[in-house]
Amino acid sequence: MCQPCDSLVTSCPMSAGISSSPPATPKRDKKKEYLEKKERGELSAQKVDFLKQNILRPVDLTVTNDGQLHFGDVVMLVNMGGEKRQCSALSINADINSLTKTPSLAIQAPCGVSAGRGIQACTRTAFIITSVDGSQEGSTLHYEQSFALKTTSGFAGGLFLTSDLQSFQKCAKKSRLQEVNLDHGGSFLSWWKIVHFDPQERLEYEGQPIPANVSVLIIHCKTNQALAVLGDHILWNMYDKEYEITARTFLDSHKAEQDSNHWILCTSDPAGKGLVLLNHPQSAANSKELTQANPGI
């Protein structure tokens, strides 16, 4: 004889009071992963905020009492601009992929550089004049003397401004010219020297102390190419529209270096009024003072 329908129902495990949890869904897994990343501070938005908070932290530049540059000075490298360029400063071009966790959160090498239009003395734009020939910290830097430019310690990693001969595998991303970046170590690839911006007076100034806040050329010792900012090669990054940096000497019809190669190593105004640029050779910028302004990021 066939069993009644009621007996079939009661024999079903579900009807006996046995429950089971709902199966995990991809949506639920993604939410759990999101919350875990948020708790660890690993969301992209959190990383961007962390990076900006640290890399845009204000830095006190050196106040020069004798008007000259010295080993150990903390300076900004500013290009006053030109036909296709606004005034810009040599800057660390770091994004969230540039961060390393070991031994502590900091910018890892190698890291790119760019010319940012925000003239603000901060971790991103501060560089330390560093000796490579045994010169004592505090001693005066002279024209044609080799030195290195190093980022500040801590979050910026104490990385050296470095360049090397251009190759197919190693070159600037936009222009394909000689690459300039930040890297570990103080090898010969990170040696630079400063020469007078006027080629007719260059020999006369060789070996003389270098004044702060005047226009100069920064030459890479190995390749003999001048540090340059390229107004026609734009980099769009998390800091806004910026210019590519390269090591390339650009000459005009008189065989003098163009303004894309002119740099000012800026120090702080003793009166506390920001960055002061003294004795700048271009008439439009004579005795011009740049105030430290947030680039509005």
Side-chain angles (χ1 to χ4, degrees):
M1 181 180 295
C2 293
Q3 292 181 341
C5 291
D6 290 344
S7 64
L8 290 176
V9 173
T10 56
S11 65
C12 178
M14 293 298 295
S15 62
I18 301 175
S19 61
S20 61
S21 58
T25 63
K27 185 176 181 180
R28 182 172 299 178
D29 288 342
K30 286 183 179 180
K31 183 177 181 180
K32 182 181 178 182
E33 182 182 359
Y34 170 84
L35 293 174
E36 290 175 348
K37 282 188 174 182
K38 184 178 181 181
E39 185 177 352
R40 296 192 300 263
E42 294 178 354
L43 296 178
S44 295
Q46 290 175 308
K47 290 181 179 180
V48 169
D49 289 342
F50 176 82
L51 175 59
K52 287 185 176 182
Q53 182 182 10
N54 284 273
I55 205 167
L56 298 178
R57 183 168 293 161
V59 169
D60 292 327
L61 301 183
T62 297
V63 175
T64 176
N65 295 317
D66 59 4
Q68 298 173 355
L69 295 174
H70 310 84
F71 289 103
D73 283 357
V74 182
V75 298
M76 275 182 60
L77 278 66
V78 174
N79 179 279
M80 291 300 294
E83 183 179 351
K84 296 182 179 180
R85 306 181 321 280
Q86 297 180 21
C87 181
S88 58
L90 180 68
S91 306
I92 302 172
N93 187 17
D95 58 22
I96 59 174
N97 298 316
S98 306
L99 297 177
T100 179
K101 290 184 177 181
T102 54
S104 61
L105 273 172
I107 295 171
Q108 64 179 342
C111 181
V113 292
S114 57
R117 296 177 297 163
I119 309 301
Q120 177 193 23
C122 61
T123 301
R124 187 174 183 236
T125 58
F127 290 85
I128 303 171
I129 299 174
T130 305
S131 171
V132 298
D133 60 4
S135 297
Q136 294 295 317
E137 185 168 329
S139 60
T140 304
L141 179 66
H142 297 82
Y143 283 108
E144 302 279 353
Q145 184 178 9
S146 299
F147 69 100
L149 287 165
K150 184 173 68 171
T151 62
T152 55
S153 59
F155 185 77
L159 304 178
F160 289 84
L161 190 69
T162 303
S163 191
D164 201 355
L165 293 170
Q166 173 192 5
S167 67
F168 181 78
Q169 294 85 6
K170 189 174 180 64
C171 57
K173 292 181 180 180
K174 294 284 186 178
S175 63
R176 313 299 294 177
L177 298 176
Q178 185 173 316
E179 183 182 35
V180 178
N181 60 11
L182 298 168
D183 211 339
H184 291 300
S187 70
F188 187 54
L189 299 179
S190 62
W191 288 27
W192 304 81
K193 63 181 179 180
I194 290 177
V195 301
H196 197 274
F197 83 97
D198 188 344
Q200 295 182 345
E201 299 184 28
R202 199 160 291 164
L203 186 61
E204 179 182 348
Y205 277 90
E206 184 175 346
Q208 297 297 314
I210 304 173
N213 305 302
V214 299
S215 185
V216 296
L217 303 179
I218 303 175
I219 308 296
H220 188 242
C221 291
K222 177 181 178 180
T223 62
N224 204 37
Q225 294 294 326
L227 189 68
V229 53
L230 304 177
D232 52 352
H233 292 281
I234 304 300
L235 300 176
W236 287 99
N237 55 30
M238 59 181 286
Y239 309 99
D240 202 2
K241 172 185 173 182
E242 300 193 334
Y243 308 120
E244 188 168 67
I245 292 288
T246 185
R248 176 68 174 263
T249 304
F250 295 96
L251 301 177
D252 60 20
S253 58
H254 302 287
K255 295 187 177 181
E257 289 81 4
Q258 298 179 15
D259 56 17
S260 58
N261 291 128
H262 293 181
W263 294 90
I264 300 174
L265 281 73
C266 300
T267 58
S268 283
D269 181 4
K273 295 182 179 179
L275 307 175
V276 61
L277 305 179
L278 301 175
N279 303 321
H280 191 265
Q282 283 85 355
S283 59
N286 275 339
S287 302
K288 183 176 180 180
E289 179 175 292
L290 291 180
T291 57
Q292 297 184 34
N294 192 299
I297 295 177

